Amino acid sequence: MPPTIDHSIPDPPLTDLGIQQCAQLRRSLAQRFSSFRGSVAVVASPMLRTLQTASLAADWLVERGVGIEADADWQEISDHPCDTGSPLPRLLLLLKDSQAKNQFPSPALDFSCIHPLWPDKTAASAARSLFGYSRSAVLRRGRRCLEKLSKRPEDLVFVFSHSAFLRTGVTGRYYFNADYRIFTFEEGEPGLKMDESTLEGGMGWSWPKTVELGSEVPDDAEEEAERDGKN
């Protein structure tokens, strides 16, 4: 039987398998990019598992003085507990505990630009507009992420985010755990061109087929009806 997925675990950490996959991801990224000599940035969702992944897979960049910037726009899309982040004081305690328990590296994490509504997705109307689980909110957030990336001054940006958000809100491509793809910006509007060497992911673990952006996310009326049903 396939493993049971428990959506009720709040902001879960990486599993033992996830930690192993991060080691493989690190080897692949370092092999592909360690000789790159341009300017580099690392951006990550402020959820525990993505910060852990960035800490493990990008430690070779951290050793060069590259910090890890937490950005709430890259968080996962649903409002299940497993896809909702932790308030910053609790998150810092979770990170400290995971570093001690698993001997994770302790990188320079930058939370200075994290949105003040973090980790709310449902309570405040502004949070629902920015981070809510509706088609319009997810697509707006995806466009916002691309616009911010397109304006960054660095030559190369590593983003540690989540499969559902990347698939349905940003790139229209599948990402299995610890896999990655490489994109460059096209001329004009912030559109993306994928490096064909990552058609099945940089690790070769992901499906090559595409998904229409927003197609897997409830429309605004469905999301609102579901939220009303919970109240």
Side-chain angles (χ1 to χ4, degrees), residues 60-78:
W60 54 281
L61 287 169
V62 173
E63 291 172 357
R64 298 181 183 179
V66 179
I68 298 174
E69 303 172 29
D71 185 342
D73 274 339
W74 291 101
Q75 65 184 294
E76 190 54 293
I77 59 174
S78 90

Side-chain angles (χ1 to χ4, degrees), residues 55-56 59 62-63 68 95-96 99-100 103-109:
S55 299
L56 292 170
D59 64 330
V62 173
E63 291 172 357
I68 298 174
L95 286 166
K96 184 177 180 180
Q99 289 161 1
Q103 296 184 329
F104 283 1
S106 181
L109 295 172

Side-chain angles (χ1 to χ4, degrees), residues 77-80 120-138 140 214 216-231:
I77 59 174
S78 90
D79 55 9
H80 293 303
D120 183 21
K121 291 183 175 183
T122 60
S125 60
R128 294 195 296 271
S129 176
L130 288 168
F131 309 121
Y133 186 43
S134 68
R135 188 170 301 146
S136 63
V138 169
R140 277 197 305 271
E216 299 179 3
V217 187
D219 63 31
D220 292 46
E222 291 172 337
E223 193 272 341
E224 184 174 351
E226 182 178 352
R227 188 173 65 250
D228 289 343
K230 293 178 180 179
N231 295 334

Side-chain angles (χ1 to χ4, degrees), residues 10 19 23 35-36 69 71 73-74 76 134 146 154 168 186:
I19 293 171
S35 61
F36 184 80
E69 303 172 29
D71 185 342
D73 274 339
W74 291 101
E76 190 54 293
S134 68
L146 291 180
E154 295 87 3
T168 62
E186 296 181 314

